[in-house]
Amino acid sequence: MADEFLDLAGWSWYVLVGLAALPTLLASIALLHATPRRYLKPRRDSVLGHFFVRFLALIAAFLVWGVSVVMSASISTTLQSLVGASEREVTAVGFNLLLAAIPLVVSVLWLAFIIRCAWFLRRLRGWKQTPEPGAVPKKFLRDRPRLRRVVVGLAHPGLLLVAGLGTSVLAFLLGAVELTINVLK
């Protein structure tokens, strides 16, 4: 109803999804912050497996870097041919493109952060509604057992994935940036 009178369609969806995701996000952050690393059971991967995964990650990082170099050269050449030889105009358009890409990059990094946190929550407390005893630090909200049950219940890896992925998808859909270059002749 407020949207009809105030025309807040985009912002109202951001607020609603943000408010829906906020309890799970805050509970997960509180639980992960209060949990020492020693609570995460060490994995039984081999040393070779550990280093091989890092090796693959470095290869992927190199490929992404290489693609970004080629794309930036292509964008620079295109901008120079469209805008002309004016270095100021090329730089201004380049900064505008960079500013337009920031929300997309932040959304992708947020998505990676949420997936990583959910993975740690899965290792910490598992997928069960109530985690096994000893999975969550005993001193976490020890003075407030009812609040502890609620926070640990909301800090579920599945809920975190839904909340985090929901906010990321909403950012992609509602915050879609249209990049166009108009050439005045």
Side-chain angles (χ1 to χ4, degrees):
M1 180 181 268
D3 180 46
E4 280 298 318
F5 296 110
L6 301 175
D7 194 28
L8 298 173
W11 289 105
S12 61
W13 277 108
Y14 278 120
V15 170
L16 288 175
V17 170
L19 287 175
L22 194 61
T24 298
L25 294 173
L26 290 177
S28 299
I29 288 170
L31 182 61
L32 287 173
H33 178 69
T35 304
R37 261 187 93 77
R38 69 178 182 274
Y39 269 76
L40 295 175
K41 297 174 185 125
R43 297 179 62 193
R44 299 184 192 263
D45 293 342
S46 68
V47 173
L48 176 65
H50 173 80
F51 287 123
F52 189 70
V53 168
R54 296 322 188 259
F55 173 72
L56 291 178
L58 287 172
I59 290 174
F62 174 75
L63 292 175
V64 168
W65 173 78
V67 168
S68 74
V69 167
V70 171
M71 292 292 291
S72 64
S74 175
I75 290 171
S76 175
T77 304
T78 303
L79 286 178
Q80 286 178 346
S81 68
L82 292 175
V83 176
S86 173
E87 188 175 321
R88 283 187 174 171
E89 288 183 39
V90 170
T91 304
V93 171
F95 277 122
N96 285 336
L97 288 173
L98 178 65
L99 288 174
I102 287 174
L104 176 67
V105 171
V106 169
S107 294
V108 169
L109 292 175
W110 173 254
L111 187 63
F113 175 72
I114 290 296
I115 291 170
R116 184 75 169 161
C117 287
W119 181 76
F120 272 110
L121 276 175
R122 182 206 49 90
R123 283 185 62 198
L124 175 67
R125 69 176 302 282
W127 289 98
K128 296 178 183 175
Q129 184 176 357
T130 40
E132 296 176 10
V136 177
K138 291 181 181 181
K139 65 180 180 178
F140 179 67
L141 296 175
R142 182 182 353 196
D143 303 342
R144 303 179 71 185
R146 290 172 53 190
L147 180 61
R148 175 187 164 99
R149 268 195 313 274
V150 170
V151 170
V152 171
L154 284 173
H156 189 277
L159 284 175
L160 180 61
L161 282 174
V162 169
L165 295 177
T167 55
S168 293
V169 168
L170 184 70
F172 284 135
L173 295 177
L174 292 180
V177 178
E178 293 182 25
L179 300 176
T180 57
I181 300 174
N182 296 324
V183 180
L184 301 173
K185 292 187 178 184

